[in-house]
Amino acid sequence: MSEIKITAYKCKKCGHIHYPQHERCLKCKGREFEEFEPEGNAKLLAYTQMFNLPWGFDERFLIIGIAQFENGVKALGQIKAESLGGIKSGMTLKPSWEPVRYVYGEPVYGLKFEPL
Ligand SMILES: [Zn+2]
C-alpha cells in the first residue's frame, strides 16, 4: 500500500486543521501553519453517489465520502463499495492511496476508503 500523499495544515495559533491549504486560518486568520499527514483509519462523516463521471473513469457511478482521520484531517475520497447498501455515517474506513482513474493511459492517484 502506498503512503497517503496528502498534506494537511494545522494553524500554529489556534490549532484549526485545514485541508486543502488556505492562505489564512479560517478560524483565527493566522498565517502560520504546520504541515502534517493524515494518520490512522478514518470515520465516515458524509457520503453520496456520483453519476456523470469525468472522462477517464470506467465505473458507471462512484460512491464518494468525506471522512475524518484519527488525527483530525477531513478529506474526500472514493469509497470501495458496489452500492450504498452497507454504507453508513460513522463507520470506520481504511484509507489507501491508489489509482482512481486513467488519463492517456497514465494512472491518476487519489484517496480511497475501504469499509471495515
Ligand atoms: Zn487559527
Side-chain angles (χ1 to χ4, degrees):
M1 187 183 95
S2 26
E3 183 188 344
I4 311 262
K5 295 202 175 46
I6 283 179
T7 304
Y9 302 84
K10 184 188 264 179
C11 175
K12 283 188 175 173
K13 215 160 142 192
C14 77
H16 191 68
I17 293 169
H18 303 76
Y19 173 76
Q21 188 174 22
H22 285 266
E23 201 169 317
R24 305 187 68 170
C25 176
L26 295 177
K27 231 176 175 174
C28 76
K29 307 256 193 276
R31 288 179 183 275
E32 286 190 55
F33 298 94
E34 183 187 322
E35 296 187 4
F36 68 108
E37 284 165 16
E39 274 171 21
N41 288 326
K43 194 174 98 175
L44 185 60
L45 301 178
Y47 60 93
T48 188
Q49 255 174 316
M50 196 169 91
F51 296 91
N52 300 317
L53 302 176
W55 185 70
F57 286 93
D58 287 335
E59 296 87 347
R60 197 170 54 83
F61 67 88
L62 294 179
I63 301 171
I64 55 168
I66 295 177
Q68 183 164 27
F69 288 83
E70 285 165 16
N71 64 354
V73 181
K74 288 178 199 162
L76 186 72
Q78 183 179 328
I79 299 171
K80 293 182 186 175
E82 300 293 317
S83 74
L84 293 179
I87 309 292
K88 50 181 185 287
S89 294
M91 75 190 304
T92 302
L93 305 167
K94 185 180 187 306
S96 60
W97 192 254
E98 297 179 27
V100 288
R101 61 171 167 148
Y102 290 85
V103 176
Y104 299 112
E106 295 293 322
V108 176
Y109 281 74
L111 187 58
K112 286 195 183 184
F113 294 117
E114 186 182 350
L116 290 180

